[in-house]
Amino acid sequence: DTGVSQNPRHKITKRGQNVTFRCDPISEHNRLYWYRQTLGQGPEFLTYFQNEAQLEKSRLLSDRFSAERPKGSFSTLEIQRTEQGDSAMYLCASTPEGAYNEQFFGPGTRLTVL
Amino acid sequence: KQEVTQIPAALSVPEGENLVLNCSFTDSAIYNLQWFRQDPGKGLTSLLLIQSSQREQTSGRLNASLDKSSGRSTLYIAASQPGDSATYLCAVEASGGYNKLIFGAGTRLAVHP
């Protein structure tokens, strides 16, 4: 399968714990995006990487959130000291360089904070 | 600030009907508009992408149109089937913003036999 993959698919954690999600983009795509989607809403942008550089972060990304993309390949999104409000679907998307390109999404990681 | 609105929020129709889903956006400075399908608890599947210079795109029973000047797009689904039941999301790619997508809240479609 050459699509975007995300792991884990589901994560249940207790409030205050740290969690980390992984995204593997399509191999030739140098642009990678993280989005968050809550029930009944469309996805909201969190952060953007071009290769290994994190070029944009949303105000939604509080200090408890950190994202990395070492060597411009896979990316990780870590949430520290989780809160119940962090419960959501976390989606990753990738696209090649240039304008007018489709973004391809992974299956998402569903986070539930108890 | 770009805002995307989708109407209706939910739609229930009998099989075989032709459907129109609406999407509007407030800022016409966009690169692309993309329509997605999302099944419950799943990720997004890209259906159609319309570049800002294009007026419409077609794929099978789907046709999407774009009117940038009025800030509107429609997704037309011909001869709907129960397998079309899903949430349909519209997203615009804003110019000058690293191409991030700004989404509407979606239209939840149910097609019953």
Side-chain angles (χ1 to χ4, degrees):
Chain A
D1 189 338
T2 56
V4 179
S5 62
Q6 292 186 246
N7 287 289
R9 296 290 308 277
H10 303 274
K11 179 70 177 178
I12 300 174
T13 191
K14 292 183 180 179
R15 189 175 52 188
Q17 298 295 305
N18 299 343
V19 295
T20 300
F21 311 142
R22 175 175 171 134
C23 170
D24 287 89
I26 294 171
S27 60
E28 64 268 25
H29 290 183
N30 64 340
R31 294 183 171 184
L32 186 148
Y33 303 81
W34 284 97
Y35 295 85
R36 181 172 72 184
Q37 185 179 26
T38 54
L39 202 61
Q41 300 300 314
E44 294 176 287
F45 169 77
L46 290 178
T47 190
Y48 162 68
F49 287 88
Q50 183 161 320
N51 299 311
E52 67 276 8
Q54 186 176 22
L55 297 184
E56 187 174 1
K57 294 196 293 186
S58 161
R59 293 176 199 173
L60 293 175
L61 219 62
S62 75
D63 292 344
R64 296 184 297 105
F65 288 71
S66 62
E68 295 182 340
R69 193 182 181 197
K71 301 179 183 177
S73 56
F74 69 91
S75 176
T76 58
L77 178 67
E78 181 183 15
I79 309 174
Q80 296 182 328
R81 304 181 304 282
T82 52
E83 301 173 355
Q84 288 185 327
D86 297 331
S87 296
M89 174 79 91
Y90 290 84
L91 294 160
C92 175
S94 71
T95 189
E97 182 81 40
Y100 310 116
N101 290 313
E102 282 180 271
Q103 287 193 20
F104 294 90
F105 280 75
T109 295
R110 166 75 64 189
L111 172 66
T112 302
V113 182
L114 302 176
Chain B
K1 178 190 170 187
Q2 179 73 268
E3 292 182 359
V4 180
T5 304
Q6 291 188 245
I7 295 172
L11 190 58
S12 180
V13 298
E15 181 176 7
E17 280 205 2
N18 299 325
L19 308 172
V20 175
L21 307 183
N22 296 294
C23 171
S24 61
F25 47 96
T26 55
D27 186 347
S28 61
I30 64 169
Y31 277 137
N32 300 325
L33 185 143
Q34 209 168 338
W35 282 93
F36 294 89
R37 169 187 172 135
Q38 186 174 33
D39 293 292
K42 306 292 186 184
L44 277 63
T45 300
S46 179
L47 297 174
L48 290 165
L49 179 142
I50 310 177
Q51 297 177 11
S52 59
S53 59
Q54 297 175 328
R55 298 283 296 186
E56 65 179 312
Q57 283 287 336
T58 299
S59 175
R61 294 182 294 107
L62 305 179
N63 175 277
S65 67
L66 174 63
D67 184 342
K68 255 186 61 172
S69 60
S70 68
R72 292 180 184 177
S73 176
T74 59
L75 178 67
Y76 177 82
I77 303 176
S80 58
Q81 303 170 357
D84 294 330
S85 299
T87 296
Y88 291 81
L89 294 156
C90 163
V92 298
E93 183 179 327
S95 59
Y98 294 117
N99 307 112
K100 63 177 179 274
L101 294 178
I102 300 169
F103 285 83
T107 293
R108 200 166 56 254
L109 173 65
V111 181
H112 47 88

